[in-house]
Amino acid sequence: MNFPYQNQKTIPSFQEIALKTIQNEFPILNQEVRGRKLVYLDNAATSQKPRVVIESMRAYYNEINANVHRGVHHLSEKATVAYEAARKKLQEFINAVSTKEIVFLRGATEAVNLVAHSYGRKFIGNGDEILITEMEHHSNIVPWQLLAEQTGAVVKFVHINQAGELILDELEEKLTEKTKLVAVTHISNALGTVNPVKDIIGKAHQVGAKVLVDGAQAAPHRKIDVRDLDCDFYVLSGHKMYGPTGIGILYAKQDLLEEMPPYQGGGEMISTVRLTGSTFAKPPYRFEAGTPNIEGAIGLGAAVDFLNRIDLNVVSSHEQELLEYGTKSLLEVEGLKLIGTASQKAGILSFVFEDIHPHDIGTILDQQGVAVRTGHHCAMPVMERFDLPATTRASLALYNTKEDIDELVAGLIKVREVFA
Ligand code: C6P
């Protein structure tokens, strides 16, 4: 007789129970896609949202919706308090010195563009150098190219090796007194490489360069401490860290923000406006022209609360365990090659599989209920480096499980059957 209670494997572990509870906080995960349980492995593109984030925005509209910093009436005061409380949560989340260093923007892309337009046009001129890397997302490449076109500055690159790691000797060679700014990603969205940003920042500062760190892929997965890093700018997107879309932050050291001219003009960012000219508000408001994304900021604040409560160190070790399991499982699939094998890696599994086009792989996986991203991942120079048009990318979040990886592998076996 098969009596289940004599088999310990039928009893869930502490970790399995905790994961189930976490998954229950994400209503969207509890659904079937094409008749199969949804397996969501496209977290680097955008993460799913926990109940607390969704509820915080619903409550904002149900209870306190009003414009911020403008009214003396009750609702406006409440909305302003909630909006500024969210700024405080972000400040503490990344250990910034002051809320004045936190600018709410649409996301990482807008934040890099702000720095390029405002800091860049004032402080980076003809012949100056901007040092970026071959593994950057387009949003940390194109703004610098546009700036260089406008100012005569030169964009230089640090290349990556076959494992997808920055060639640090090259970085040191290319850092000179001409370098005015280094822009580097904390974690590569296409390869998963975790860059030694603290060392890079130290080296850049020795030649007097400022450093912008693109934290879009880091903030959901590890504790960020901008004071410990000593970065000058840090950008992140809320939607990748369990918050809503359309909101993110630029962190910048206060003295830098004080010196930076406005990026956009409009309401809120001014001190006085006369027909003959205007003066501008202090940071961060100088950079928040117009009515901001109030519900987005509140939702992002709730996402920070959620991450604090779960504990990013726990998240990080869970995802690291999954990454190891995923790496091992994928390498057992014959004909599969991982792209991005850095010794320091986060939960991103980018791969090619025989000579099957990633879009076909993605489509067949989708038929099995498995969501991955396929394409160049807005990192075309990375694809060029590995001489590939595209990869398939599975990216992990705190609610993923070993079973999700097993489903991915089972889906890949199906892909092979279809193409046999
Ligand atoms: N990467 C991905 O699937 P926005 O679009 O502003 O929220 O984030 C841009 C961005 C900047 N830097 C890095 C390292 C990123 O990964 C991203 C967004 C998504 O990989 C969408 S292309």
Side-chain angles (χ1 to χ4, degrees), residues 106-145:
R106 277 193 298 133
T109 302
E110 192 178 24
V112 179
N113 276 281
L114 189 161
V115 178
H117 274 255
S118 172
Y119 182 85
R121 287 204 212 173
K122 183 163 175 191
F123 294 104
I124 301 176
N126 193 18
D128 288 341
E129 292 179 3
I130 301 159
L131 187 56
I132 66 172
T133 86
E134 203 177 10
M135 72 167 79
E136 298 310 312
H137 184 277
H138 296 167
S139 58
N140 204 19
I141 300 176
V142 184
W144 308 118
Q145 291 173 335

Side-chain angles (χ1 to χ4, degrees), residues 44-45 108-109 137 139 185 189 214 216-217 237 239-240 373 378 393:
T109 302
H137 184 277
S139 58
T185 193
N189 68 317
D214 174 355
Q217 296 295 346
S237 286
H239 69 98
K240 296 191 198 290
R373 183 173 173 188
C378 301
R393 182 188 71 183

Side-chain angles (χ1 to χ4, degrees), residues 58-70:
R58 193 201 301 270
Y60 165 72
Y61 280 119
N62 277 337
E63 295 166 31
I64 61 168
N65 173 50
N67 213 328
V68 290
H69 304 135
R70 285 160 170 84

Side-chain angles (χ1 to χ4, degrees), residues 8-19:
Q8 278 201 6
K9 281 193 184 146
T10 60
I11 304 170
S13 67
F14 181 85
Q15 206 187 19
E16 282 163 346
I17 294 171
L19 266 172

Side-chain angles (χ1 to χ4, degrees), residues 4 96 105 126 130 150 189 195 206 285 295:
L105 297 162
N126 193 18
I130 301 159
Q150 287 154 4
N189 68 317
N195 286 320
Q206 279 170 19
Y285 307 109
E295 83 278 19

Side-chain angles (χ1 to χ4, degrees), residues 394-413:
S395 50
L396 308 172
L398 55 80
Y399 38 67
N400 287 124
T401 60
K402 289 186 178 163
E403 287 70 42
D404 292 344
I405 304 280
D406 295 343
E407 288 297 325
L408 170 66
V409 170
L412 289 171
I413 305 297

